[in-house]
Amino acid sequence: MASPMRSLLTDPARYLQSFRLFLEKSTEHQSMREFMEKQLPTLIASIGNGKSTINILSVGGGAGEIDLLILSKVQARYPGVTINNDVIEPSADQIFKYKERVAETSNLENIKFTWHEETAYEYESRMNAEKKSKKWDFIHMIQMLYYVKDIPATIQYFHSLLEAQAKLLIILVSGTSGWETLWKKYGSSFPLNDLCTYISSADLRRMLDSARLKYQFYELPSHMDITSCFTEGNKDGELLLDFLTETREFSKTAPPELKRQVMEELKKPECSEKRDGKVLFNNNLGVIVIEP
């Protein structure tokens, strides 16, 4: 009998709804912002040396929250320098939000934005077809490698586009996070099809080591409040469960035994901690900065 469980990515509107709730209920962006404030200035300190224009490529830029923070740090390091910021983002809805955000932000006069409504793979294919291999001073891929078919090939491709002083920054869930525990144990039961692959910073580091790429690694603490997941019928809880399992309507479509096991797992100390009556899921992030 065919399972009624379907990948969350087959319903883009629900995926975005659950993703935005995840951002609201987690310290994801706070943790990233802290990293961008404290660590990024050192990492980008020489990407634009001697250049009149700095080229930045955002792969999976989403609605631009973190992109604009990165750009502000590049502007602070290289005042007055022209910045070309190209964004690869397959969701028209996210691009629309990104453009709105740019329109509402001041001090972007020296930045030229170009949006490409396509996946990383479509971008690569198009560049190859047009025989273009534009080089970049900074490339970032934040929380997007899960949606790539061939991860090593994708990293190799974008790595090949780095200028001599450039950096490739990747953010993923950490190998120490609750995601790692949940997905290593139950990932094979979730309806991933070919839209999504589970990968953590630990997996990525193994890939980079075997490709002999040089990189720096940072661990960012982060958590997500999943208390609502344990109230039967709670709309937010259902959306967060969808996001955690990448399954559309997980509460309603998962076999009862799988649902019971997942709910148990989410409460375990390997996944979450209980604090002030809340269940906080370990959402730690791994940041990897690859050298050219």
Side-chain angles (χ1 to χ4, degrees), residues 8-21 94 143 146-147 239 243 246:
L8 180 57
L9 294 165
T10 58
D11 184 344
R14 189 169 173 92
Y15 170 77
L16 269 183
Q17 205 186 349
S18 70
F19 173 62
R20 288 185 181 141
L21 182 65
Q94 290 284 68
Q143 290 288 44
Y146 322 106
Y147 310 112
L239 278 169
F243 193 74
E246 288 284 333

Side-chain angles (χ1 to χ4, degrees), residues 1-285:
M1 186 182 119
S3 159
M5 287 170 77
R6 303 203 24 221
S7 165
L8 180 57
L9 294 165
T10 58
D11 184 344
R14 189 169 173 92
Y15 170 77
L16 269 183
Q17 205 186 349
S18 70
F19 173 62
R20 288 185 181 141
L21 182 65
F22 156 72
L23 289 180
E24 191 187 306
K25 295 287 182 189
S26 72
T27 60
E28 170 105 352
H29 275 179
Q30 265 164 275
S31 302
M32 287 185 196
R33 273 196 285 272
E34 211 167 288
F35 175 83
M36 300 306 171
E37 294 290 348
K38 290 180 179 161
Q39 311 285 353
L40 190 67
T42 315
L43 295 169
I44 58 167
S46 57
I47 62 168
N49 287 2
K51 297 184 175 238
S52 56
T53 304
I54 295 174
N55 296 310
I56 297 178
L57 181 62
S58 163
V59 187
E65 300 98 325
I66 303 297
D67 285 25
L68 291 187
L69 181 56
I70 291 172
L71 288 167
S72 72
K73 297 300 166 199
V74 177
Q75 281 180 309
R77 172 67 187 90
Y78 296 102
V81 170
T82 301
I83 299 171
N84 290 324
N85 187 65
D86 280 47
V87 182
I88 300 169
E89 171 52 59
S91 163
D93 192 47
Q94 290 284 68
I95 288 178
F96 179 76
K97 291 228 163 16
Y98 197 138
K99 288 179 174 174
E100 275 187 331
R101 186 169 268 111
V102 166
E104 291 159 7
T105 307
S106 52
N107 305 324
L108 299 177
E109 295 75 23
N110 62 331
I111 303 176
K112 179 177 178 284
F113 289 89
T114 310
W115 287 272
H116 307 277
E117 191 186 313
E118 58 193 346
T119 65
Y121 180 71
E122 286 163 349
Y123 175 86
E124 181 182 343
S125 307
R126 187 168 59 82
M127 289 297 129
N128 289 336
E130 294 171 12
K131 304 223 177 331
K132 286 180 184 162
S133 60
K134 183 174 164 64
K135 296 278 187 184
W136 301 90
D137 301 304
F138 190 62
I139 301 177
H140 53 89
M141 311 171 91
I142 296 176
Q143 290 288 44
M144 57 70 65
L145 278 178
Y146 322 106
Y147 310 112
V148 160
K149 276 213 176 75
D150 186 337
I151 294 166
T154 300
I155 290 170
Q156 210 168 350
Y157 171 71
F158 287 104
H159 183 260
S160 74
L161 306 181
L162 292 177
E163 289 277 20
Q165 300 287 330
K167 297 271 193 283
L168 168 57
L169 177 135
I170 298 174
I171 302 184
L172 282 174
V173 296
S174 165
T176 67
S177 68
W179 296 98
E180 181 84 346
T181 311
L182 182 67
W183 278 80
K184 287 282 190 269
K185 204 160 180 180
Y186 295 103
S188 57
S189 306
F190 301 149
L192 283 187
N193 28 25
D194 52 0
L195 298 171
C196 180
T197 319
Y198 175 73
I199 175 174
S200 73
S201 60
D203 303 317
L204 180 58
R205 291 174 78 179
R206 281 191 285 274
M207 284 178 197
L208 298 178
D209 290 338
S210 65
R212 294 202 161 81
L213 290 176
K214 276 167 63 178
Y215 62 87
Q216 288 154 280
F217 176 73
Y218 305 83
E219 177 99 8
L220 312 186
S222 173
H223 62 259
M224 159 171 55
D225 183 349
I226 59 167
T227 316
S228 59
C229 295
F230 301 98
T231 306
E232 194 66 44
N234 181 295
K235 285 280 167 279
D236 280 1
E238 288 180 357
L239 278 169
L240 289 176
L241 270 175
D242 284 13
F243 193 74
L244 283 162
T245 59
E246 288 284 333
T247 304
R248 184 177 178 273
E249 302 272 13
F250 178 81
S251 290
K252 297 188 174 81
T253 63
E257 185 53 21
L258 175 66
K259 184 181 172 183
R260 190 191 63 74
Q261 289 174 349
V262 166
M263 298 312 286
E264 280 304 307
E265 193 66 39
L266 286 172
K267 284 184 189 157
K268 288 183 184 169
E270 293 80 8
C271 275
S272 303
E273 63 164 315
K274 289 194 173 67
R275 204 193 306 162
D276 305 330
K278 291 179 174 166
V279 183
L280 302 179
F281 182 80
N282 180 328
N283 185 53
N284 287 3
L285 302 168

